[in-house]
Amino acid sequence: MIDLKNDFPILSKKIYGKRLVYLDNAATSHKPSSVIDTISDFYRSDYSNIHRGVHYLSEISSDKYENARKKVSKFIGTSDPSEITFTAGTTDSINQVACSLKSILKGNEVLISGMEHHSNIVPWQLAGAKIKTIPMDDECNLLVDSIEITDKIKLIAISHASNVLGSVNPIKEITEIAKENDIPVLVDAAQSIQHLPLDVEEIGCDFLAASGHKMYAATGIGILYTSERFSDIMPARGGGGMIDKVTLESTTYLSPPLRYEAGTPNIAGAISVGAAIDYMQDIGLDKIRRHEHKVYSHARKRLLETDGLKVYGNNEDMCGSISFNLDNIHHYDTGLILDKMGIAVRTGHHCAQPLMGSLGTEGTVRASFALYNTKEDVDMLMEGIEKVRMMYS
Amino acid sequence: MRDHVQDNIIDQFHGLEWLDKYGLLISFARELEPLDEKFRTEEYSISGCQSRVWIRTYTEGGRLVIDLDSEAMITKGIIYLLMKVVNNRSAQEIVDIDLYFIEEIGLKSNLSPARADGLASIIRRIREVAEKEVN
């Protein structure tokens, strides 16, 4: 077992006099010192605007920004950094795609899973598309064989891993079906990029969206991968930094990725993503995955063997999040009591109300893990759950 | 202005650890008469709360009666206290009341609109009902 807590300053904080057990990583993860230092050093010694200046600091900042883009592109398996756009987050990435594809989507359909985060539902509705869902079994596993493709479906948008259940969806099988029918696929990787190997070329998707803040980088920075075949779609936003020539009659645009990055981007945020990737790679991605798998399996096992507790979802492949409820105890009460024991979990619908409907509940308690969590954290959670139960007995 | 109902509540919570405070709220929740099923509907619910909260109000003998219920026990415990403090008063008194006990028993942070328990929404709704009654 590895223990990386010392790399994360905030994790030594005491909450209500107790050691912090942070299990809300699907909402956001904490930052290692190396990422915090990178951001701080950047502002202290290198900061300037990018791509515009001829001066020294501008060149350094531009290099660092573009270097971060290269790191992201390698990290998700594309050899071409121009396929990576920096956005404000997963939600922004998906909204930008929805806006760019609006003319195709309007009046047509987007096929999603029934476990999507609202950010992979609402943008399509705003673009004027109807939502169709892939059928699921009782344990919320997608029934890929039951997918019915029609001419109306213009996009498949699917989460790689569920932010509620932790189930990993068979995205490769889905992209194969999509390819046979010439339908583009967007993968929402917000809950997988920090846990699973990602290779967009192997997956065969056209778009992939992820957030920096869930993968140990800063908030307000996101990633959007766009495959070459969509490299000429219209940008969702216009402004400085993305144009080739502007006249009062018409405008021509730069090539990707700059075409999709109007205005001054989140430069420090992008650089922090590069630093977070360095941090993970220095530890070793395989090592992280093995460790996370052990902690996740331990949590699942302990929760499943607890009487009077329902765990939602069951998939061969799971990571990150586990959702549960204690019999006859409201998820909100459970979360409040755990909080006062220093244990941070998330409660509620987790921005996945349609899934809550399928699960037959208003909300769940969600424990979600990151590379710094340990089996001891899981055991503290279980002690907390026992305490909650005692308080209700 | 201080009143003995709120002062009494503050005394009960004085010196308690957080988990004991929650324990006390849970015991209060158990004493709260549940709202009739016919009022536990969307129409009577207060939005902005992570656990569903329902409110039913009516006047009785010149007094405004506020009945609240929630599906979460800790919220229900807080509701029990709120009802104890605001009921048996005129609408004008409810409009004017300073709910100082919330801060003094350590629940001040629960009053933030960002908090999931929606205590701020519950209090806002109580005041709205009272103001309507006054006007």
Side-chain angles (χ1 to χ4, degrees), chain A residues 157-304:
Chain A
I158 203 95
S159 54
H160 191 186
S162 160
N163 72 312
V164 176
L165 310 166
S167 317
V168 177
N169 288 321
I171 46 171
K172 178 81 182 136
E173 288 174 52
I174 292 167
T175 54
E176 276 165 13
I177 294 169
K179 251 186 213 139
E180 284 164 20
N181 294 278
D182 197 25
I183 299 169
V185 175
L186 176 141
V187 172
D188 172 353
Q191 301 296 343
S192 62
I193 193 165
Q194 65 282 52
H195 300 301
L196 302 172
L198 272 187
D199 185 326
V200 285
E201 282 170 17
E202 198 209 317
I203 294 166
C205 57
D206 297 284
F207 304 97
L208 181 134
S211 294
H213 73 97
K214 295 188 204 286
M215 57 182 288
Y216 317 108
T219 52
I221 185 76
I223 296 163
L224 174 62
Y225 158 80
T226 305
S227 70
E228 200 197 345
R229 75 171 176 139
F230 285 91
S231 61
D232 59 351
I233 55 173
M234 286 302 279
R237 299 196 185 111
M242 50 81 77
I243 55 89
D244 171 35
K245 195 165 176 54
V246 177
T247 68
L248 296 179
E249 286 73 38
S250 65
T251 296
T252 53
Y253 310 108
L254 291 175
S255 302
L258 299 185
R259 163 192 298 217
Y260 303 117
E261 293 178 356
T264 296
N266 182 351
I267 309 166
I271 291 168
S272 80
V273 174
I277 290 173
D278 287 343
Y279 174 74
M280 287 189 275
Q281 284 177 333
D282 286 349
I283 298 164
L285 299 180
D286 285 342
K287 200 169 162 187
I288 293 169
R289 273 158 209 146
R290 278 198 303 274
H291 168 77
E292 286 190 350
H293 183 71
K294 275 184 202 159
V295 174
Y296 187 91
S297 304
H298 181 61
R300 205 171 152 77
K301 181 173 170 284
R302 288 218 54 192
L303 286 165
L304 281 169

Side-chain angles (χ1 to χ4, degrees), chain A residues 330 332-333 340 347 391-392, chain B residues 18 30 50 73-74 117:
Chain A
H330 197 273
Y332 180 63
D333 286 337
K340 292 297 189 278
T347 66
M391 287 179 69
Y392 280 77
Chain B
W18 263 111
R30 292 196 168 117
Q50 197 180 95
M73 293 295 269
I74 292 172
D117 60 11

Side-chain angles (χ1 to χ4, degrees), chain A residues 332-373:
Chain A
Y332 180 63
D333 286 337
T334 307
L336 276 183
I337 295 169
L338 290 176
D339 167 54
K340 292 297 189 278
M341 298 178 73
I343 303 164
V345 293
R346 180 58 65 103
T347 66
H349 55 62
H350 316 294
C351 297
Q353 287 178 348
L355 174 62
M356 293 300 128
S358 306
L359 298 175
T361 180
E362 287 286 318
T364 69
V365 182
R366 179 187 71 186
S368 56
F369 301 89
L371 53 76
Y372 41 69
N373 290 120

Side-chain angles (χ1 to χ4, degrees), chain A residues 94 105 109-125 129-136 142-144 146-149 153-159 169 174 183-188 351-355:
Chain A
I94 297 176
L105 299 176
E109 293 170 358
V110 174
L111 182 67
I112 65 168
S113 81
M115 65 182 86
E116 296 305 320
H117 189 283
H118 297 158
S119 62
N120 197 18
I121 301 173
V122 183
W124 313 123
Q125 291 172 330
K130 266 198 173 161
I131 300 294
K132 291 276 160 180
T133 56
I134 300 172
M136 295 192 292
L142 298 187
L143 300 169
V144 177
S146 307
I147 292 178
E148 280 179 32
I149 298 292
I153 297 173
K154 300 297 179 196
L155 180 77
I156 300 176
I158 203 95
S159 54
N169 288 321
I174 292 167
I183 299 169
V185 175
L186 176 141
V187 172
D188 172 353
C351 297
Q353 287 178 348
L355 174 62

